[in-house]
Amino acid sequence: MRAAQIEAVRRSTPWMMAANVANALILLAVFRGSEMFVAVAAWATAVSAIAIYALYRWFATRQRAKPESASLRGVRRTVTHTLILSAVWSFAPMLFSVADADQKAIIGSLVAGMLCGAGFALATIPAAALVFTTMLAIGSVVGLALAPGWSSVTLALLNVLYNSVVLASSLALARMLSERLEAQMRSSEQRDYIGLLLNDFEEHASDWLWMVDENWRIRHVSSRLLEALGATESQFVGRSLLRALPLPDRGQTSDKDRDGLRELVLAMRARKPFRDRELVVSIGGAPRAWSLTATPVFEAGAFRGYRGVGRDVTQAREARRRIEYLARYDVLTDIANRAAFNDEIGRALYRLRKRGEPFAVLLLDLDHFKSVNDTQGHPVGDELLRHVARRLESVVREDDFVARLGGDEFAILLGAPATATDIEAIAARIVAAIAAPYLLSVGEAVVGVSIGVACASAESDVDTLIRHADLALYRAKREGRGRYCFFEPELDAAARRRHQIEMDLREAIETDTLSLAFQPLSRTASGRIVGFEALARWRHHELGPISPAEFIPLAEDRGMIGSLGAWVLMQACKTAASWPEEVRIAVNLSPVQFRTPRLFDDVRRALHATGLAPQRLELEVTESLFLDATPAVDASLQALRQLGVRVALDDFGAGYSSLSYLRRFRFDKLKIDRSFVDSIDTDLASAAIVGSIIGICGELDITVCVEGVETEGQRAVLERLGCDEVQGYLISRPVEAGEAAALLDRREVRTAASSGF
Ligand code: C2E
Ligand code: MG
Ligand code: MG
């Protein structure tokens, strides 16, 4: 700052000094022939000497580079120089007292001129300006005081006034100059800083800078970009941006890429700023994605081109595409995922409302997939899922949309035409296609599929459609799997009831609100009670009595069967412990219980806690246990038998009725399902079948019990066929514990008990 101030004064040195010499010579000329001439000549010589010295100094240092800084000494030197010069000049007004009128006028003008000239020329160094004007003022006042008269007083006063005005203006000027200097310095500092940053950016950042002129001709690009392009500056700079860009051939770009370029051109035509515009270029034959950001440059309102940054975003774009893919596709099967499926339903709903195009949603659940997964391992399960996905794709029509929702759940959106008949035909095709055996790397596998169908209406929404299809799927599974079901409104009501039961069942198990009923099993011939079957009962506070056939499957689905089963075991054993020793208790076990590790402990704990002998406990299992049989199921059955408890095969004949189960596991008892009993006294075939089963069991030393015996006629046939035990309303309906004890007291019961429970 100081250097700049001194420099400003220095710049005016030649003129100032020339003016000094000229003024001194004028005064000398004016006093020519006067008696004061010698004194004036001496004075003029002094002024000229000082001025010439200053000029010499100026000339000597003229070639030197402008100093960046100056010390306080430099300022002091200037002030001192000014002091000497002004001290000499202060003698000039003293000539006033000896001057004639003409001379006075010249002296007055010269002094006033010097005052003003110095005041402004020295303004950048206020101290120097102050010294000069003050010295001149003192000289003037003294000179005027020596020349008495009114005009001198007036002139002295005027002098002081001028002096003050000049000083004040020169100080104001000085302040203004230094402010401007400061602002200049700040902005140049900023420019330096920005320049530094830009240099650093060009050298180190992966982004590059670019600049085009008003005709979009390239004026500058970072060397980094030239390197990437393998081009030289001359190949690039000066060319039109659109020509210089290595745009790929039409065939290599997508519509979206071309849109990117079009939008960029439109923005530039409109001279608008743009940000992160993506552009596909071809470098060395490979497509790369660039992102450009720029702002238009205007100078004095005129468009001067664009200045911006760019960077290669190929990797980021790939990553983004990958993420987008992952968000919408199932990695395992390479078909759409749940999110994409929901979106597709949204679009189909829009088309339905807008153009009345019907569509249907199919939810698919593989039957017995879990057993493949459990027995063969997850990699095989994955392989199977991939095969299923391919088959689904091959069965549906081109415009139908197949997705995997997760696990073994798939979904299909059937577009128009989608009449009930079309849908049925496709659903039947799917069921058949999925059921065909699969050739996997480990061998053959078989799964089935259950399908729930919901047809969309204009009022549908994504969630309700899926829920409806889900309810239909639930029904398809309940009705025996390997089939499809359409959603019907009653399913909704059923679902609500199921939901309520589910909610309340957990509480019922925890608060002991369930109870047990006991139904006797008696010897066919003698009617002697050999045991009871424990049957779970639940009276709901709102819905009344709920059949176990309804709440047991729900408990299975919702993971409550473990605790429910444990409770039944404990209660049944407790009740049975109070009966005579030869009376057994039968407890039903769900296949789901075999999938939980707690079953064995629950049985052991019940026996231990109640002191019931193990051979008095009979566990009833159904054939469905063997459907997704795993080695674990066999192992736990074995373990239970080793404990000493008996195992009965329940409901034989109701389901798959394969005699191979009898070979697979050594059952103690076989309970023939009541469906065989209905017509046993009228239908010869039923009697023959039951007779031969009884025969086989006799050979294998398995006790046979027939369930659901309601009439004496049925019992009589069974007695003739050699059936060991019977169970049914003829003997007794299920009764509560107290009544069971009473029945035992009578022991032999032939007629149906009156109370139903
Ligand atoms: P289930 O084990 O086959 O039990 C026999 C069912 O047949 C009982 O129905 C019983 O009341 C009924 N029944 C007995 N005699 C006759 C008859 O002469 N005629 C007719 N029409 N029906 C007869 P319930 O109590 O409704 O039980 C249904 C099923 O619920 C049972 O079939 C059993 O599989 C299951 N269940 C009941 N309690 C439990 C339990 O504590 N745990 C498990 N896991 N399942 C249970
Ligand atoms: Mg049973
Ligand atoms: Mg049964």
Side-chain angles (χ1 to χ4, degrees):
M1 180 96 157
R2 237 181 259 134
Q5 289 170 336
I6 295 174
E7 175 62 19
V9 172
R10 218 184 74 89
R11 259 201 312 262
S12 58
T13 302
W15 307 109
M16 289 260 290
M17 293 308 119
N20 270 287
V21 175
N23 286 349
L25 291 179
I26 289 171
L27 212 59
L28 190 62
V30 170
F31 278 88
R32 186 174 25 109
S34 139
E35 60 202 36
M36 291 302 289
F37 182 76
V38 181
V40 173
W43 171 83
T45 313
V47 169
S48 304
I50 295 168
I52 286 164
Y53 172 74
L55 269 173
Y56 161 76
R57 293 256 330 148
W58 171 81
F59 192 79
T61 56
R62 181 180 51 112
Q63 303 290 23
R64 264 192 230 158
K66 256 199 286 177
E68 286 288 312
S69 64
S71 62
L72 205 58
R73 241 183 47 221
V75 177
R76 251 187 243 131
R77 200 186 301 129
T78 311
V79 175
T80 313
H81 182 251
T82 313
L83 180 69
I84 296 168
L85 189 65
S86 59
V88 177
W89 266 100
S90 68
F91 282 100
M94 292 188 194
L95 292 169
F96 214 75
S97 53
V98 291
D100 58 21
D102 288 346
Q103 288 166 334
K104 274 184 183 166
I106 300 288
I107 294 171
S109 305
L110 277 182
V111 169
M114 286 304 289
L115 190 71
C116 293
F120 290 105
L122 295 172
T124 51
I125 304 177
L130 181 74
V131 163
F132 198 96
T133 51
T134 310
M135 287 306 282
L136 217 60
I138 293 169
S140 305
V141 172
V142 172
L144 290 169
L146 293 177
W150 273 114
S151 63
S152 295
V153 176
T154 317
L155 280 176
L157 285 176
L158 279 175
N159 188 291
V160 172
L161 190 69
Y162 286 174
N163 197 42
S164 315
V165 171
V166 168
L167 201 61
S169 319
S170 127
L171 284 179
L173 194 67
R175 198 175 316 116
M176 216 169 73
L177 286 174
S178 76
E179 271 169 11
R180 210 181 68 190
L181 249 166
E182 238 173 272
Q184 244 173 25
M185 276 164 66
R186 258 203 309 273
S187 86
S188 99
E189 227 170 70
Q190 237 165 23
R191 232 192 346 263
D192 288 352
Y193 186 58
I194 290 171
L196 213 73
L197 283 183
L198 285 178
N199 273 344
D200 187 66
F201 180 83
E202 293 227 58
E203 267 172 41
H204 302 291
S206 57
D207 300 12
W208 26 264
L209 300 172
W210 60 279
M211 210 192 283
V212 295
D213 66 10
E214 61 272 27
N215 297 317
W216 299 9
R217 270 194 305 264
I218 296 169
R219 278 178 47 200
H220 166 85
V221 284
S222 299
S223 49
R224 181 175 308 279
L225 172 66
L226 294 173
E227 266 167 42
L229 289 169
T232 61
E233 196 160 342
S234 58
Q235 282 174 313
F236 227 69
V237 174
R239 289 184 65 195
S240 150
L241 177 72
L242 292 183
R243 259 176 239 274
L245 281 177
L247 294 175
D249 297 336
R250 255 192 103 71
Q252 278 183 304
T253 53
S254 68
D255 285 349
K256 211 172 144 207
D257 296 340
R258 280 194 289 278
D259 285 349
L261 179 64
R262 194 170 314 127
E263 277 169 30
L264 176 83
V265 170
L266 286 179
M268 283 180 70
R269 268 197 202 138
R271 296 174 180 178
K272 277 194 200 144
F274 52 87
R275 167 162 280 281
D276 297 327
R277 280 257 169 268
E278 268 187 33
L279 193 72
V280 176
V281 295
S282 160
I283 297 179
R288 309 282 310 173
W290 281 1
S291 163
L292 300 182
T293 296
T295 41
V297 182
F298 291 97
E299 272 171 23
F303 175 64
R304 285 273 169 264
Y306 270 97
R307 210 176 280 159
V309 287
R311 71 203 139 99
D312 191 305
V313 290
T314 314
Q315 258 181 346
R317 194 159 109 134
E318 277 308 305
R320 205 175 58 218
R321 283 196 177 164
R322 182 87 197 124
I323 289 167
E324 273 168 14
Y325 177 83
L326 289 179
R328 307 195 57 79
Y329 284 85
D330 172 49
V331 187
L332 178 66
T333 57
D334 213 22
I335 57 177
N337 65 10
R338 186 185 290 272
F341 188 71
N342 285 356
D343 289 353
E344 190 63 24
I345 298 183
R347 275 191 288 275
L349 276 171
Y350 175 78
R351 286 195 300 269
L352 172 68
R353 291 191 195 116
K354 199 100 182 154
R355 299 200 286 269
E357 291 175 19
F359 74 95
V361 169
L362 273 62
L363 285 193
L364 294 79
D365 196 287
L366 299 186
D367 303 328
H368 312 301
F369 171 75
K370 198 177 163 353
S371 78
V372 176
N373 228 7
D374 289 350
T375 54
Q376 317 259 40
H378 286 259
V380 178
D382 287 352
E383 195 186 346
L384 180 60
L385 288 174
R386 276 194 289 267
H387 278 278
V388 169
R390 294 292 85 76
R391 279 195 196 174
L392 288 176
E393 281 182 322
S394 67
V395 173
V396 299
R397 301 160 306 178
E398 196 162 324
D399 290 340
D400 299 333
F401 191 89
V402 182
R404 176 172 173 240
L405 304 187
D408 59 349
E409 271 184 77
F410 290 83
I412 299 174
L413 192 147
L414 293 184
T419 62
T421 339
D422 294 329
I423 298 167
E424 275 183 37
I426 296 173
R429 271 209 317 265
I430 295 173
V431 170
I434 298 300
Y438 296 83
L439 197 63
L440 305 181
S441 51
V442 289
E444 225 177 57
V446 180
V447 284
V449 66
S450 304
I451 306 178
V453 185
C455 298
S457 71
E459 296 80 47
S460 310
D461 60 63
V462 178
D463 290 342
T464 2
L465 260 176
I466 300 244
R467 198 168 57 83
H468 286 177
D470 204 32
L471 289 175
L473 172 63
Y474 184 82
R475 180 172 173 187
K477 284 200 268 186
R478 281 274 157 257
E479 288 186 355
R481 302 169 186 265
R483 68 191 63 208
Y484 59 87
C485 274
F486 278 70
F487 169 77
E488 285 155 16
E490 308 87 80
L491 292 181
D492 226 1
R496 267 195 284 278
R497 175 183 163 92
R498 230 170 20 237
H499 184 69
Q500 189 180 1
I501 293 177
E502 262 167 38
M503 297 319 249
D504 298 342
L505 182 58
R506 197 176 296 276
E507 205 187 302
I509 296 170
E510 278 162 14
T511 56
D512 259 5
T513 1
L514 298 176
S515 62
L516 285 184
F518 298 90
Q519 188 179 31
L521 288 78
S522 63
R523 295 226 133 259
T524 315
S526 65
R528 192 182 170 82
I529 294 175
V530 291
F532 285 88
E533 178 176 4
L535 295 159
R537 291 289 177 268
W538 181 26
R539 182 174 286 276
H540 189 275
H541 56 93
E542 255 176 52
L543 305 171
I546 297 173
S547 157
E550 187 171 6
F551 69 78
I552 295 288
L554 281 180
E556 289 174 347
D557 277 359
R558 298 294 153 189
M560 293 182 262
I561 194 67
S563 43
L564 193 154
W567 181 87
V568 172
L569 272 166
M570 188 62 84
Q571 295 304 312
C573 292
K574 204 191 268 175
T575 309
S578 65
W579 297 335
E581 272 187 10
E582 68 279 12
V583 181
R584 295 200 183 100
I585 179 77
V587 172
N588 294 285
L589 293 183
S590 144
V592 181
Q593 282 175 271
F594 280 86
R595 288 191 213 132
T596 61
R598 61 183 289 180
L599 178 64
F600 181 79
D601 287 338
D602 285 344
V603 172
R604 206 170 45 180
R605 198 173 306 123
L607 292 173
H608 187 76
T610 59
L612 190 79
Q615 60 277 10
R616 290 179 63 195
L617 176 62
E618 201 160 68
L619 301 175
E620 294 189 7
V621 299
T622 52
E623 291 168 311
S624 60
L625 178 64
F626 298 102
L627 279 183
D628 21 65
T630 62
V633 168
D634 289 333
S636 47
L637 274 175
Q638 285 299 350
L640 288 169
R641 277 207 75 196
Q642 240 133 55
L643 210 58
V645 301
R646 290 160 55 89
V647 181
L649 183 57
D650 200 359
D651 299 345
F652 188 80
Y656 308 87
S657 311
S658 165
L659 290 173
S660 67
Y661 301 138
L662 301 183
R663 211 175 59 192
R664 181 153 167 186
F665 185 74
R666 172 78 183 84
F667 288 102
D668 298 285
K669 184 183 278 185
L670 190 83
K671 294 182 80 177
I672 299 178
D673 192 69
R674 69 165 179 268
S675 56
F676 277 93
V677 187
D678 281 346
S679 52
I680 201 163
D681 46 351
T682 50
D683 178 19
L684 279 177
S686 291
I689 293 169
V690 172
S692 52
I693 296 172
I694 291 171
I696 294 169
C697 288
E699 296 282 317
L700 295 173
D701 197 20
I702 299 174
T703 310
V704 177
C705 173
V706 173
E707 304 180 282
V709 180
E710 294 181 354
T711 66
E712 176 51 33
Q714 292 166 344
R715 192 206 61 81
V717 175
L718 290 168
E719 186 180 351
R720 185 163 49 74
L721 291 173
C723 171
D724 303 303
E725 295 171 5
V726 285
Q727 180 184 5
Y729 294 168
L730 175 72
I731 319 303
S732 165
R733 285 182 177 263
V735 296
E736 54 183 298
E739 214 169 320
L743 282 177
L744 276 176
D745 286 343
R746 278 184 275 151
R747 265 312 159 85
E748 280 164 35
V749 187
R750 270 284 165 91
T751 49
S754 53
S755 69
F757 177 57

